[in-house]
Amino acid sequence: MTDFFSFASGFRWQDAVDILLNSYILFRLYVLFRGTRVVRVIMVIPVVWLLERMAVYLGLIITAWGMQGIIAAAALVIVIVFRNEITSVFQTRGLKSFFWGIPQRQVHTPVDMIVESVYELAHRRLGAIIVLPLKKAIDTIVQGGVAWRGKLSREMLLSIFWKGTPVHDGATIVQGDQVTDVAVILPLSKREDLPSYFGTRHRAAVGLAEQSDALVIVVSEERGSVTVFQDKNIRPIHDNIELGRILREHAGAVTQNGGLKRQTMELALAAMICFTSIAGIWISFAHGLETLISLDVPVEFMNRGTGMEIFSASVSKVDLQLSGSGGLIRSIRPDQVKIKLDLSHAVPGKNIIPISPESITLPPGIKFKQAMPKVLEVHVDKLDQKDVGIQVDWSGKLMEDLIVESVRVVPDRLWVHGASLILKDIETIYTEKILLDTITDTGKVSVHLVLQPALALEKDQKSRVEVMYEVRRR
Amino acid sequence: MMKSKMKTENITNCIKWWLIALVFLLAPVPPASGLVLAVHGDLQLTTAVMCESVHNYAPIHPAVVFPIQRGRVFCFTEFASISSQTRVYHKWYRDDRLITNQRLVLNPPRWSSSTSVQLRDADKGPWRVDITDEAGTPIYTLRFSITD
């Protein structure tokens, strides 16, 4: 019970959106592909995943490895094997149907008109072959044909198959209420168990039915009989009622309340499975085994005032301790974790800036535990320049009877740049040490200046000066 | 007539000499050496040196390097054109850190004075003395070193 409340308290609105959005996407994919073999194959993947988990649990190394391989390759295999179905779905369904609506399969097919036309053709002993494709595209299976794109009517079908017309010898493709192509050549079946009275027309119908999910109606010219071919089934039709029923089933039209109820139940079950699956995945990711991680994260400074420079920080990286489910922790990329410290209130000098949870950016589902160090000491200052004197730094021991009476440095003053607070305490820049031990007479020497690391000379300024000294005896 | 002309000439000469004398009297007193190191308002700094000692109001062995064993180092300054009693300061710095700040009172019209510091082993290094007015405005800076 405590675990449940702990879980509920950590649930964010983003998590709800995450689960619902992905459940809906999964459900829409099911709606688009339902009825196709793609869905049936995809359903195998969770089963393989369960087997893989069981294999891991039982310590079956090779089995687990094999299952993982199958799951990893599944997406690619599905796309390659079912490319025709997938292409067909995306061609026949628009972008709008991906987001909304339950596509009805060819509900606009005028079944009664087709039945009436077929029996009229049979009555007149006019040979005919009518193809009603379903989901799978048949463009790559059939050959030739003449594009027709005419609205379907009884008279049109009779005209197409009337003896002597240029297009009567071939199949007619009907999609919805449109005759899309006529005089189409279908692939012939190589089956040897077909009845002997089947001619080329019947063999072509069997050939197409074998390779697609289309329904093919054949009217025999010799006997005036009607036969329907679907998958590997050959169904002689005895009356128009039977033909109408078969066509309605093929078109997917729901004619009875029971059918509508069944469809609603199917979709509701699918929606529930989608939601449960995504919620399960989310829980396993977001609330799996709590894992701790320690990361060294570089510190970024923002909102630095105009002219302000960061001269030093106590640390450049902060050790962050984060927690979350193992999956989420393992998927953290370095660029997803950031520490951004606000310097908008920083003043010249030393600033103590706490590392608060608000200054840390984390990927969703990851929690901040603690930071080491908890505060950062940042030295911020304005860049400034100052005119300072140059002084010789003598060292060593001068001979006792000598006096260095005067010294002249050229130049004797210089402009130096640096942090204003450092410059404030600096009045003099010293030369490198000049040894007195070797000096015996008046002379001249060129020496370097010794600058603090935080200071710099002007760009065109040399870091050497000339020192001229006068020595006399006591 | 002749007497009267001579009398007028004498008066003119007398006025001329008086004027010359007045100009000399009113003119500022030039420094002894004739060299002015710095001018600060009316005040003129005529001498400013670091030296080993001061004797009879004069610096002895002016230098810029002093061995530590000398024990003491002096800053000698001489001012001219002092219109009224004035205070100046000798601020002694070692490595840009203030070590001592000594006040001097200058009296008109010329005044020389000195300050000094006792040297210890830890005092080796570069030094400077800022000669400032009462408000702390620098008048002149002397730089020197204490060595072995």
Side-chain angles (χ1 to χ4, degrees), chain A residues 165-356:
Chain A
T165 60
V167 294
H168 83 284
D169 200 13
T172 292
I173 297 171
V174 174
Q175 286 192 334
D177 62 350
Q178 292 247 318
V179 175
T180 57
D181 297 274
V182 295
V184 174
I185 299 164
L186 306 183
L188 295 177
S189 172
K190 291 175 182 170
R191 274 172 67 177
E192 292 178 356
D193 59 337
L194 296 175
S196 57
Y197 57 86
F198 272 14
T200 312
R201 189 173 283 132
H202 289 86
R203 194 165 279 276
V206 175
L208 181 66
E210 281 171 350
Q211 294 183 40
S212 72
D213 57 357
L215 183 141
V216 188
I217 306 166
V218 172
V219 178
S220 170
E221 193 177 346
E222 288 81 21
R223 296 181 305 282
S225 62
V226 177
T227 314
V228 168
F229 300 84
Q230 195 173 22
D231 297 327
K232 288 182 179 175
N233 302 321
I234 302 166
R235 298 160 79 173
I237 304 300
H238 303 104
D239 53 41
N240 56 353
I241 297 168
E242 189 185 2
L243 180 63
R245 184 179 56 77
I246 290 169
L247 289 182
R248 280 189 187 88
E249 277 177 10
H250 177 73
V254 182
T255 51
Q256 294 173 351
N257 286 341
L260 184 63
K261 198 175 171 184
R262 196 166 55 246
Q263 179 180 278
T264 310
M265 288 287 286
E266 178 205 333
L267 292 174
L269 183 67
M272 201 179 292
I273 289 170
C274 290
F275 177 78
T276 313
S277 306
I278 296 295
I281 291 168
W282 181 86
I283 289 168
S284 70
F285 262 92
H287 288 271
L289 224 56
E290 189 83 345
T291 308
L292 278 172
I293 191 174
S294 185
L295 284 178
D296 267 351
V297 183
V299 181
E300 295 172 38
F301 297 100
M302 49 192 265
N303 301 330
R304 189 157 41 92
T306 317
M308 296 284 255
E309 292 285 331
I310 299 164
F311 282 89
S312 66
S314 53
V315 289
S316 59
K317 283 184 174 180
V318 171
D319 180 42
L320 283 189
Q321 278 192 16
L322 309 172
S323 74
S325 74
L328 289 177
I329 287 285
R330 279 191 295 276
S331 65
I332 292 178
R333 295 195 312 273
D335 62 305
Q336 288 180 308
V337 183
K338 286 177 180 165
I339 301 173
K340 290 183 176 175
L341 296 184
D342 186 10
L343 293 183
S344 57
H345 300 297
V347 292
K350 193 171 78 176
N351 293 269
I352 303 293
I353 300 174
I355 297 165
S356 61

Side-chain angles (χ1 to χ4, degrees), chain B residues 87-104:
Chain B
R87 287 184 184 86
V88 292
Y89 290 85
H90 284 185
K91 293 180 176 174
W92 293 68
Y93 293 87
R94 186 183 170 276
D95 277 334
D96 277 345
R97 281 198 310 276
L98 184 67
I99 302 296
T100 177
N101 184 10
Q102 298 180 26
R103 191 179 72 174
L104 302 169

